[in-house]
């Protein structure tokens, strides 16, 4: 008696199919990311709060979250403002968080068995990559953009302002884009090896 | 993989630090950015005669809307990422150089498409422009870099596989 079992035929993944799947997932992951941002980004806000409390207690009084916008309430007085008024700085977290939907789309498109674990690890690893650039953005605002009257209250010396400027540039131009790709490559070594070694397959 | 990632991150940080120097800004980044604006403007003029360019700014005689191509939109950072990834991955130098040449061209072509689409998107809807500018195109450019790198790695392995003409010549 012949067992009534048909062999499973799966189409081998090529780079082209992988790209198409990623492009198909991107609108979905962007949609979820945008509307779930207040929840998804809350752990990043906690990281920002913790660092601000530990490293900047004289500058930051509190950090508030409204949807995906962080508001830093500082202990600094705005230039030319009346006594008692304080400077607040808004930072849009989404600018630093678009790597989340990209990472999710890449992970879903790879169709690995451990995709849920990979998503969870990637999400956790990307949170500092969102929090730190957001902090650098805030520091750039108070130490450089707000002008000398505010910058002098922060107590940062010249080399620290240079470091803040570099951290802001690196954190806004490189980290949000590169972090998801690096993480995805690091977590999908087997998938990448499979793609590379597929004999005779077209890209 | 750990070695590749370490070398990649170090090369990228070094290249990005060099990019921020006044010398690199004056002699590489600014001319590059102006060229991106000129090429994008020339492309748009093939179907829209109202397009004007001045330095890094693309405008239109038919609309008050204009875009300035700034850091992050000129494709320089994406290029640095791709070059660092190709230098960090073990491959023969001819393959590396060919990959850098073709890869950089690919990134720049997509970047010009980004500039053109953003220009017209901005004339149509400011909210859509912001979304595409700040989130969607950033992700697409990095996806492009990643895919170019994956294809390049795949071809590097084909070239060095036993039996390939290059492996036989090596």
């Amino acid at each position: 008696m012949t067992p009534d079992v048909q062999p499973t035929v799966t189409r081998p993944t090529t780079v082209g199919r992988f790209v198409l799947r990623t492009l198909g997932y991107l609108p979905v992951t962007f949609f979820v990311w945008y509307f779930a941002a207040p929840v998804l980004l809350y752990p990043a806000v906690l990281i920002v709060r913790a660092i601000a409390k530990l490293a900047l207690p004289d500058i930051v009084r509190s950090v508030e979250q409204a949807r995906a916008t962080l508001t830093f309430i500082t202990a600094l007085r705005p230039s030319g403002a009346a006594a008692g008024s304080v400077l607040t700085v808004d930072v849009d977290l989404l600018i630093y968080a678009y790597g989340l939907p990209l990472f999710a789309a890449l992970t879903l498109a790879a169709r690995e068995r451990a995709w849920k674990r990979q998503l969870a690890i990637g999400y956790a690893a990307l949170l500092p990559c969102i929090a730190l650039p957001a902090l650098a953005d805030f520091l750039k605002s108070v130490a450089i953009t707000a002008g000398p009257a505010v910058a002098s209250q922060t107590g940062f010396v010249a080399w620290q302002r240079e470091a803040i400027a570099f951290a802001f540039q690196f954190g806004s131009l490189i980290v949000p884009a590169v972090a998801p790709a690096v993480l995805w490559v690091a977590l999908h070594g087997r998938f990448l090896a499979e793609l590379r070694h597929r004999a005779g397959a077209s890209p | 993989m750990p070695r590749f990632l370490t070398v990649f991150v170090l090369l990228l940080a070094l290249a990005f630090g060099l990019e921020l120097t006044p010398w690199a800004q004056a002699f590489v980044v600014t001319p590059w950015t102006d060229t991106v604006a000129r090429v994008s403007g020339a492309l748009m003029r093939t179907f829209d005669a109202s397009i004007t360019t001045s330095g890094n700014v693309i405008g239109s005689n038919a609309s008050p809307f204009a875009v300035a191509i700034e850091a992050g939109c000129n494709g320089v950072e994406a290029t640095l990422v791709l070059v660092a990834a190709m230098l960090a991955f073990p491959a023969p130098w001819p393959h590396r150089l060919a990959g850098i040449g073709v890869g950089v061209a690919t990134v720049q072509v997509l970047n010009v498409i980004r500039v053109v689409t953003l220009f017209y998107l901005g004339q149509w809807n400011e909210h859509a422009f912001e979304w595409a500018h700040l989130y969607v195109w950033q992700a697409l450019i990095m996806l492009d870099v990643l895919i170019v790198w994956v294809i390049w790695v795949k071809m590097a392995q084909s070239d060095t596989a036993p039996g390939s003409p290059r492996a036989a010549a090596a």
Side-chain angles (χ1 to χ4, degrees):
Chain A
M1 190 172 166
T2 311
D4 189 21
V5 176
Q6 296 293 321
T8 309
V9 180
T10 53
R11 296 171 78 189
T13 295
T14 61
V15 177
R17 283 195 198 116
F18 170 67
V19 173
L20 286 177
R21 281 205 298 264
T22 305
L23 290 174
Y25 277 119
L26 265 178
V28 180
T29 55
F30 261 112
F31 181 86
V32 172
W33 165 77
Y34 186 71
F35 286 101
V39 178
L40 285 175
L41 298 177
Y42 182 66
V45 178
L46 294 181
I47 296 173
V48 172
R49 279 189 186 139
I51 296 174
K53 193 173 179 182
L54 283 171
L56 307 163
D58 298 334
I59 296 176
V60 180
R61 280 189 184 159
S62 64
V63 182
E64 308 294 332
Q65 180 191 10
R67 272 200 56 78
T69 302
L70 277 187
T71 301
F72 290 83
I73 297 153
T74 73
L76 310 171
R77 216 176 66 210
S79 152
S85 56
V86 293
L87 180 76
T88 62
V89 177
D90 286 346
V91 174
D92 180 8
L93 275 183
L94 291 179
I95 292 173
Y96 304 109
Y98 63 82
L100 286 175
L102 176 61
F103 177 84
L106 287 166
T107 301
L108 293 172
R111 289 182 171 172
E112 290 220 297
R113 194 170 292 175
W115 65 273
K116 286 180 190 166
R117 189 170 62 89
Q118 289 161 340
L119 272 185
I121 294 171
Y123 171 63
L126 283 173
L127 289 171
C129 301
I130 298 165
L132 294 176
L135 264 170
D137 189 338
F138 160 72
L139 287 172
K140 183 265 302 176
S141 294
V142 294
I144 299 165
T145 318
V150 173
S152 63
Q153 299 172 56
T154 62
F156 291 124
V157 294
W159 75 265
Q160 287 173 316
R161 283 199 294 274
E162 290 291 327
I164 288 168
F166 182 83
F168 168 70
Q169 296 274 4
F170 197 76
S172 57
L173 296 175
I174 299 288
V175 174
V178 174
V182 167
L183 267 173
W184 184 82
V185 168
L187 289 171
H188 291 80
R190 199 168 46 188
F191 174 77
L192 282 169
E194 207 176 290
L195 271 186
R196 289 201 303 262
H197 293 116
R198 193 166 299 288
S202 64
Chain B
M1 188 65 81
R3 184 191 166 278
F4 160 72
L5 290 174
T6 307
V7 175
F8 166 69
V9 170
L10 289 175
L11 280 176
L12 184 58
L14 179 70
F16 187 70
L18 288 174
E19 186 213 335
L20 293 182
T21 60
W23 184 89
Q25 289 291 318
F27 293 104
V28 181
V29 178
T30 302
W32 179 304
T33 307
D34 292 353
T35 304
V36 170
R38 269 200 303 275
V39 170
S40 305
L43 180 68
M44 286 188 269
R45 269 193 294 273
T46 60
F47 55 85
D48 185 348
S50 70
I51 296 299
T52 59
T53 56
S54 172
N56 66 336
V57 177
I58 303 174
S60 167
N61 291 326
S63 159
F65 184 81
V67 292
I69 301 172
E70 302 286 354
C73 297
N74 53 12
V76 172
E77 288 76 23
T79 298
L80 294 182
V81 172
L82 183 66
V83 171
M86 286 182 173
L87 290 179
F89 195 83
W93 271 104
H95 187 78
R96 266 195 188 129
L97 294 175
I100 288 171
V102 174
V104 170
T106 309
V107 169
Q108 290 307 315
V109 165
L110 192 67
N111 196 51
V112 166
I113 295 172
R114 161 163 75 169
V115 171
V116 172
T117 57
L118 286 176
F119 181 77
Y120 288 104
L121 208 53
Q123 292 193 39
W124 170 66
N125 184 297
E126 193 182 335
H127 191 65
F129 169 82
E130 287 298 322
W131 240 85
H133 175 223
L134 295 175
Y135 317 131
V136 178
W137 265 117
Q138 302 282 43
L140 289 179
I141 291 283
M142 193 40 57
L143 179 63
D144 178 43
V145 169
L146 181 64
I147 298 308
V148 167
W149 180 78
V150 168
I151 292 171
W152 174 80
V153 168
K154 185 181 167 71
M155 291 172 78
Q157 301 229 327
S158 309
D159 281 357
T160 53
S164 74
R166 191 160 298 176

